[in-house]
Amino acid sequence: MGIRLKKETGVKYTCVLMLLAAGLTIQLEFGNVSQASEKTGVDSSVYSAGGDVVEEIVVTARLKSSAESLVYERLDDGSVIDLLGAEMIGRIGDSTVAAALRRVSGLSLVSGKFIYVRGLGERYSSATLNGASIPSPDLSRNVIPLDIFPTAIIESLAVQKTYSVDKSAAFGGGSIDIRTKGLPGDLTYSIELGMGANSETSGKFLDYPGGSDDTLGTDDGTRALSSVIVQSIGRFSGALDSQSILSTLRKEGNSAATLAQARAINRDLALNLNRNISIEEKSYKPDWNIKGSIGNNFTLNNDLDVGILAGVGYKAAWRETSTIARNFRFPTEQFEQEEETTRSVNINGNLNLGAQFTEDHEIFTTSLFIRNTDDEVAVLDFFNENREKSDGLGFRDTHIKFEERELLVNQIGGNHILGEQTREYLSWLPLGLVPEQLEFTWQYSKARARTSIPNEVNASSETLTDVDSGEVFSSRIVSDSAALDYRFTKLEDKMTNYRCQFALPLQVASSEIELRAGFEHTRKGRTYRQSQFSLGALNVGDPDILLGSVGAVFSDEHIIDTKNDFVFNLAGANNQSYVAATMTDAVFGQVDWLWNDTWRVAVGLRWEDYRQTALDWNIYAFSKENPQISNDPEVLKHAIFQKNKLYPAVSVVYISDWLAETFQLRLGWSETVVRPDLREITDASYVDARTGFLTDGNPSVRPSNVENYDARAEWFFADGSNFTVSAFYKDLKNPIEFFESAASDTNRSREIINVQSGRIYGVEMEGVKDLSFLGEFWEDYFVQGNLLFQDTELVAGDEADAPTNDIRRLAGASDYVINFMLGYDSPNGSHASTLIYNIFGDRVYVAGRNGAPDAIEQPFHSIDATYSWYASETITLKAKVKNILNDRVSIEREGVETYSEKPGAAFELTFLWAF
């Protein structure tokens, strides 16, 4: 039975039902104080109608044989689409989807994770798994980081740059569909071993005592928030300072309780924090990975086949990064230097099952588990307006963060036609009126993404430094109640997606017509919870105890010593936690008409009913007057957004042999939408992991409409060469953008708003050509390259907070991109290699405010090389080198370098045995 969210429904119940429909349940409970649970997710019975700023834009690295096989697949599709197959990805040796996507023309990857299509930021692109929407484990972005997907599970990648109505209308710049491997035709198994290193990783790295399960990428409870503290938060009604504890003790009937007793309880609570966090140096370990798979297909009878494919993978890596960030106005006096070590553990497993009955019916299941964990240790030395370098005094932050991300996906689907064999089996049914060519496809997908940061700790110190170089001579923990900052974060996204589609091909004289119609439902629910605590000493009996390591300063002995005034309390503004949900119902239809093998016209229309709600979650509220989630009708009313709209798409293709064996001219027009992330539509604030900015949500931000125009001319020649020219124009109405907001010189802050307007237009050229025309020696070589020239414009409007430039380029968009690749395939097929170069033009990283200039990321020159030796039919050896030039990331404001980082050159060797 369904529940319809009608317009006249009371706002309170509408909001609750929206949260119910997202699939989440939160338990509002601390210790012995409990509040009735609010369901904030989808109930199965309810159905309703972040750092590193490297960007690499690399040409499509096609090995010649793979390139030619993909060309025909691209020709068949009515949209502008690029396809990467498993064979090509495997021969090149890319280990993640993110790395593989560097081979697609016009695609940019930021931080090696996020998609930029033709200069539009990651919010304007989307990713699906086998056509189904999936949630993201990233704390600060709605899009999923593509580096978590290993290529070992991939059958192909489809990058679509023009909109078609079978896709979600949330389509700004493009979409990527990650297609997992299907069932094998026979027995197959493989094992792969790999090792790697990075030029920036020295013989020593920073580390700290962790848990026994760190090698598995999960915490064993060592870092977790103590149940004693959880119960005490409930007992003392969300306030842990000594005065609040004393007040509670007296309310409990202990009238003789003293402040000294309350302080003792406060100190005892602090002992339950994990303080074994002193940083130490350890010897370097190389990266290593192992992966394996096994599968088979079984014929049960003449009409029924079943199959299975299973795979596992493990990878561990260490990285060291050194960064420098400078104040634009005082670059030599106010700056920060950070040394960071990151230990990464990646684990994945997949299980595919399937059955095929005759040639008419196929049912498949896909189960995928991915865990991606980063354990970061950083030491940040800095000078600001309070202490400049020439003062000989500075500051130091010691930072530890263990972040575990998980994705679990289960899918089932099928393809069916009522063909001749099926009709024989069902001859007793009246199927004469059902067209034999009618095809029915369906899919049900359920996914869950989780992110857990069981312990993020920051220790603040004062430093004595050299007035000339800024070198640190000594450091001591500050005397402050918040000298040690603890944060415990949990995010859970649940997403359900189901869809079905009918397709009916018709042949009418010289015309081929396909009628297509379908339905899709998607619902998503999220809970985000963050607890923050502070610990520090207001005074100490012996100042020298503050000179020790973090673990030594905050030892049990020092904390319980009454001569030291250590205090423990809840910290922060308590505006980080929230609950949110979205629900989308869609129906679509399309007519695809091919006339005389010369003209192809596709006209489609998609109707979407989109609903969203987001509410602040006060996890420290313990009274009816101040509930954890507001029940105020006005608050609930403003928490709801609902809109239904039609989204059209039209494409026209002209096919001939003009100047080539095959020539195609494609024209496309469509209207789509870009919606804000769930986190962005709450009042919650968060620190963006990639930029370091404190980012404020905005409940008033609204979706942005996009009008898309595309043209593409393609020439495919008989020798396998091809040349493509594309032109595009996008008109963005009230696009969603980040703008810097008011903050101190020490902190950086930004806000999410709707700007007045934006536009982007450009030309893209791509080609691949073998070099046999240069002579016999060059017969086995080929080149490929692409050029992108574009212009973008953003008009800030009234919502922006004092921007320096009311009209500027879109953030992240380069004016040009130049790519080139040289490839080699040996005549006997035993060797293959590629050499890839790219450079992108400068781009706006952060827009300035109050007269400060924009921060501009400078061009990054990158050369990568890969080599594969196919030693036998079952054994392959691969070598990869990335960033051979060892270029560095650089950001400037009017010629002053305000940020720099060297990502280093990476090396990797792999051995593959496959049968």
Side-chain angles (χ1 to χ4, degrees):
M1 176 178 178
I3 296 179
R4 297 184 60 84
L5 303 183
K6 298 182 180 179
K7 189 173 182 179
E8 63 268 22
T9 305
V11 293
K12 178 175 180 179
Y13 299 104
T14 302
C15 191
V16 171
L17 288 175
M18 278 290 295
L19 292 170
L20 278 170
L24 288 162
T25 302
I26 58 172
Q27 184 70 28
L28 313 181
E29 182 176 314
F30 277 106
N32 58 359
V33 177
S34 177
Q35 198 171 311
S37 297
E38 295 279 352
K39 291 206 170 181
T40 56
V42 177
D43 184 272
S44 61
S45 64
V46 179
Y47 303 121
S48 170
D52 182 8
V53 294
V54 181
E55 175 189 72
E56 293 193 79
I57 307 177
V58 189
V59 299
T60 306
R62 298 183 179 91
L63 292 170
K64 185 179 177 183
S65 60
S66 300
E68 293 176 3
S69 65
L70 293 171
V71 161
Y72 298 105
E73 207 172 341
R74 190 172 84 175
L75 278 169
D76 244 5
D77 200 285
S79 304
V80 174
I81 189 171
D82 289 311
L83 296 150
L84 303 181
E87 179 187 356
M88 186 275 289
I89 296 173
R91 290 191 65 186
I92 293 175
D94 289 325
S95 58
T96 70
V97 167
L101 287 172
R102 295 179 305 142
R103 318 305 183 185
V104 178
S105 61
L107 256 182
S108 311
L109 295 179
V110 176
S111 303
K113 300 180 180 182
F114 302 109
I115 311 166
Y116 276 39
V117 178
R118 292 170 171 171
L120 288 170
E122 66 265 16
R123 76 167 63 254
Y124 294 93
S125 302
S126 60
T128 56
L129 184 70
N130 297 321
S133 299
I134 50 177
S136 171
D138 190 85
L139 288 174
S140 56
R141 284 167 177 79
N142 192 39
V143 294
I144 192 164
L146 293 176
D147 64 325
I148 71 172
F149 290 99
T151 53
I153 68 171
I154 303 304
E155 180 67 31
S156 64
L157 301 172
V159 182
Q160 187 170 325
K161 297 177 182 176
T162 59
Y163 176 64
S164 58
V165 296
D166 59 333
K167 301 287 186 182
S168 168
F171 183 106
S175 71
I176 290 180
D177 187 30
I178 303 166
R179 303 167 179 175
T180 56
K181 286 185 175 178
L183 300 176
D186 207 340
L187 176 64
T188 177
Y189 52 86
S190 69
I191 186 168
E192 182 175 320
L193 304 173
M195 295 188 68
N198 186 281
S199 62
E200 292 300 303
T201 303
S202 62
K204 299 288 184 180
F205 60 85
L206 303 177
D207 197 15
Y208 69 100
S212 59
D213 293 337
D214 286 4
T215 54
L216 299 176
T218 189
D219 182 54
D220 62 356
T222 299
R223 304 172 177 86
L225 181 61
S226 167
S227 60
V228 174
I229 295 177
V230 173
Q231 292 170 2
S232 297
I233 292 173
R235 178 186 177 188
F236 299 115
S237 300
L240 299 179
D241 61 280
S242 298
Q243 287 292 344
S244 297
I245 291 175
L246 177 60
S247 175
T248 299
L249 292 175
R250 290 176 175 173
K251 287 180 181 179
E252 291 175 344
N254 186 1
S255 58
T258 64
L259 185 59
Q261 291 175 321
R263 288 174 175 170
I265 293 174
N266 179 268
R267 290 193 295 269
D268 286 342
L269 287 174
L271 300 182
N272 291 280
L273 293 170
N274 174 36
R275 289 158 289 114
N276 188 17
I277 52 176
S278 295
I279 294 178
E280 54 192 9
E281 287 191 344
K282 287 190 176 181
S283 299
Y284 165 72
K285 296 180 180 179
D287 305 344
W288 69 277
N289 67 81
I290 182 171
K291 62 186 72 170
S293 67
I294 185 169
N296 204 351
N297 189 283
F298 307 92
T299 299
L300 302 185
N301 58 46
N302 290 335
D303 292 328
L304 180 61
D305 288 353
V306 296
I308 182 173
L309 179 67
V312 294
Y314 179 92
K315 182 177 182 180
W318 297 87
R319 286 292 177 268
E320 288 184 277
T321 55
S322 299
T323 62
I324 300 177
R326 300 182 181 277
N327 182 288
F328 162 68
R329 295 183 176 86
F330 310 101
T332 61
E333 287 290 326
Q334 299 178 22
F335 60 90
E336 57 186 45
Q337 296 176 294
E338 183 179 61
E339 299 292 331
E340 180 181 273
T341 296
T342 302
R343 178 188 186 183
S344 298
V345 173
N346 301 308
I347 298 174
N348 65 272
N350 64 281
L351 176 65
N352 296 359
L353 303 172
Q356 182 166 344
F357 180 68
T358 70
E359 295 182 356
D360 297 344
H361 305 278
E362 179 185 9
I363 294 179
F364 63 87
T365 69
T366 301
S367 295
L368 174 66
F369 173 79
I370 296 173
R371 176 183 293 161
N372 178 267
T373 300
D374 288 334
D375 193 3
E376 300 173 358
V377 184
V379 176
L380 176 69
D381 294 313
F382 62 97
F383 305 93
N384 58 27
E385 70 273 19
N386 299 313
R387 288 186 173 184
E388 297 188 332
K389 187 189 73 170
S390 58
D391 296 333
L393 300 171
F395 300 96
R396 168 173 287 181
D397 281 349
T398 303
H399 190 75
I400 294 171
K401 183 170 76 169
F402 185 91
E403 183 172 355
E404 178 184 345
R405 297 174 292 274
E406 288 186 355
L407 177 66
L408 176 64
V409 182
N410 289 295
Q411 298 179 334
I412 184 170
N415 305 306
H416 310 275
I417 60 172
L418 293 178
E420 183 178 343
Q421 291 174 295
T422 302
R423 291 171 185 268
E424 289 179 3
Y425 275 99
L426 302 177
S427 58
W428 49 276
L429 289 177
L431 299 177
L433 297 178
V434 181
E436 186 171 329
Q437 299 85 1
L438 181 65
E439 181 180 3
F440 174 64
T441 62
W442 60 277
Q443 185 187 53
Y444 179 88
S445 175
K446 199 172 185 67
R448 184 199 69 211
R450 287 179 176 173
T451 297
S452 175
I453 305 179
N455 200 3
E456 182 178 2
V457 188
N458 191 81
S460 300
S461 303
E462 300 170 322
T463 57
L464 181 65
T465 63
D466 183 275
V467 295
D468 295 319
S469 66
E471 179 184 356
V472 175
F473 296 139
S474 63
S475 67
R476 61 187 292 146
I477 298 293
V478 298
S479 294
D480 187 273
S481 61
L484 207 57
D485 181 88
Y486 284 81
R487 299 187 187 193
F488 302 85
T489 303
K490 288 184 178 180
L491 175 144
E492 183 174 72
D493 263 12
K494 291 183 177 180
M495 179 173 282
T496 300
N497 174 271
Y498 54 84
R499 57 198 174 99
C500 64
Q501 182 173 280
F502 291 90
L504 177 62
L506 302 172
Q507 183 79 39
V508 182
S510 59
S511 296
E512 297 179 15
I513 302 173
E514 183 181 68
L515 306 178
R516 189 178 295 270
F519 165 81
E520 184 172 9
H521 173 84
T522 304
R523 58 181 183 263
K524 175 181 178 180
R526 172 181 291 186
T527 57
Y528 180 87
R529 174 176 178 157
Q530 180 175 298
S531 303
Q532 187 174 354
F533 304 88
S534 62
L535 174 62
L538 298 176
N539 297 288
V540 292
D542 180 5
D544 287 343
I545 69 171
L546 300 176
L547 294 172
S549 64
V550 175
V553 171
F554 293 93
S555 66
D556 290 2
E557 178 186 358
H558 290 162
I559 291 175
I560 63 175
D561 190 343
T562 56
K563 292 182 294 184
N564 303 321
D565 190 10
F566 277 89
V567 293
F568 169 65
N569 204 356
L570 293 165
N574 190 30
N575 66 340
Q576 296 89 5
S577 304
Y578 64 93
V579 295
T582 65
M583 190 184 303
T584 307
D585 286 296
V587 292
F588 62 89
Q590 178 177 284
V591 178
D592 192 344
W593 173 39
L594 175 63
W595 178 72
N596 203 28
D597 289 328
T598 303
W599 290 95
R600 182 177 181 180
V601 179
V603 179
L605 193 62
R606 184 183 182 95
W607 175 83
E608 282 196 356
D609 183 20
Y610 175 76
R611 288 142 287 172
Q612 72 179 32
T613 186
L615 291 166
D616 294 339
W617 180 16
N618 183 355
I619 61 175
Y620 300 139
F622 295 94
S623 67
K624 293 182 179 179
E625 295 77 18
N626 183 27
Q628 292 194 1
I629 295 179
S630 176
N631 54 17
D632 185 329
E634 283 300 313
V635 173
L636 297 177
K637 178 180 178 181
H638 287 95
I640 300 169
F641 176 86
Q642 182 172 3
K643 186 171 185 178
N644 59 73
K645 187 179 177 181
L646 292 171
Y647 298 95
V650 178
S651 67
V652 178
V653 182
Y654 172 69
I655 306 166
S656 77
D657 57 358
W658 182 55
L659 301 180
E661 184 178 40
T662 302
F663 167 74
Q664 289 194 350
L665 174 64
R666 302 170 184 265
L667 303 175
W669 169 84
S670 62
E671 291 183 351
T672 55
V673 65
V674 176
R675 297 172 178 130
D677 179 31
L678 289 176
R679 186 165 198 165
E680 296 169 348
I681 58 176
T682 72
D683 285 320
S685 299
Y686 62 94
V687 176
D688 185 272
R690 184 168 67 87
T691 64
F693 277 74
L694 177 66
T695 304
D696 298 319
N698 179 4
S700 299
V701 72
R702 56 201 180 277
S704 169
N705 294 317
V706 183
E707 193 166 3
N708 310 279
Y709 299 86
D710 292 274
R712 186 174 194 174
E714 302 169 301
W715 291 266
F716 298 93
F717 302 95
D719 63 356
S721 303
N722 66 73
F723 181 68
T724 302
V725 179
S726 303
F728 57 90
Y729 176 86
K730 294 181 181 292
D731 184 17
L732 289 73
K733 298 176 176 62
N734 303 122
I736 304 166
E737 286 286 320
F738 287 110
F739 270 78
E740 192 170 357
S741 55
S744 67
D745 288 343
T746 308
N747 299 309
R748 295 173 295 179
S749 180
R750 65 178 186 173
E751 60 183 348
I752 184 81
I753 65 169
N754 287 103
V755 300
Q756 181 174 316
S757 63
R759 64 173 183 170
I760 178 170
Y761 58 91
V763 175
E764 191 176 70
M765 291 178 283
E766 178 188 358
V768 59
K769 174 66 177 173
D770 68 65
L771 300 181
S772 58
F773 67 93
L774 295 178
E776 184 178 351
F777 175 81
W778 295 98
E779 286 183 353
D780 303 312
Y781 292 84
F782 68 98
V783 295
Q784 195 236 347
N786 74 49
L787 304 174
L788 172 65
F789 299 99
Q790 66 181 6
D791 189 19
T792 67
E793 180 183 88
L794 180 146
V795 180
D798 298 332
E799 294 186 30
D801 183 13
T804 298
N805 300 307
D806 289 322
I807 301 177
R808 60 166 174 83
R809 289 185 290 168
L810 285 168
S814 301
D815 288 340
Y816 66 89
V817 180
I818 302 174
N819 305 279
F820 178 81
M821 198 254 326
L822 174 66
Y824 169 76
D825 285 327
S826 68
N828 61 5
S830 296
H831 306 276
S833 60
T834 60
L835 186 66
I836 309 165
Y837 168 76
N838 85 60
I839 180 175
F840 57 86
D842 60 21
R843 57 186 187 153
V844 175
Y845 179 67
V846 175
R849 66 182 301 274
N850 278 338
D854 295 340
I856 306 296
E857 183 177 357
Q858 301 304 299
F860 186 92
H861 298 262
S862 175
I863 292 181
D864 298 343
T866 67
Y867 168 75
S868 298
W869 175 36
Y870 304 94
S872 69
E873 291 185 1
T874 59
I875 295 176
T876 304
L877 297 176
K878 300 177 183 179
K880 295 182 287 184
V881 185
K882 297 181 179 180
N883 193 24
I884 294 174
L885 298 178
N886 201 21
D887 203 2
R888 64 192 180 94
V889 178
S890 177
I891 298 175
E892 297 182 359
R893 289 181 184 255
E894 286 190 349
V896 177
E897 187 174 64
T898 57
Y899 181 88
S900 66
E901 177 183 344
K902 289 190 69 175
F907 315 89
E908 186 175 352
L909 293 172
T910 61
F911 168 86
L912 172 65
W913 177 54
F915 174 81

